[in-house]
Amino acid sequence: MIISLFITVILIFAGCICMLQLYDFFENETVRALLIVAYGLFTIFMLFHWFFDYIMNYM
């Protein structure tokens, strides 16, 4: 499970780097806000996916 958490954290940080590059690319505030919301949803989904997998393995 530690390896799964480690991979999840790596994917979240990689997504952060990509999102920051896209954030600098766009100058429209609406698009920037949508990028932030999309990254937040991605992060929440990845953490819930890991947590659900963690719970299912120990039941």
Side-chain angles (χ1 to χ4, degrees):
M1 289 317 304
I2 298 297
I3 294 172
S4 177
L5 178 63
F6 186 66
I7 292 171
T8 301
V9 170
I10 288 174
L11 288 174
I12 289 172
F13 281 129
C16 180
I17 292 169
C18 293
M19 196 276 304
L20 287 174
Q21 290 176 351
L22 283 173
Y23 187 83
D24 288 337
F25 181 72
F26 292 107
E27 298 200 13
N28 187 351
E29 292 299 320
T30 305
V31 175
R32 285 182 169 185
L34 289 173
L35 283 172
I36 292 170
V37 169
Y39 177 71
L41 290 174
F42 168 75
T43 303
I44 290 169
F45 172 76
M46 289 297 291
L47 290 175
F48 275 133
H49 181 270
W50 174 81
F51 189 63
F52 182 72
D53 189 37
Y54 178 77
I55 289 174
M56 293 307 289
N57 282 337
Y58 285 105
M59 286 190 134

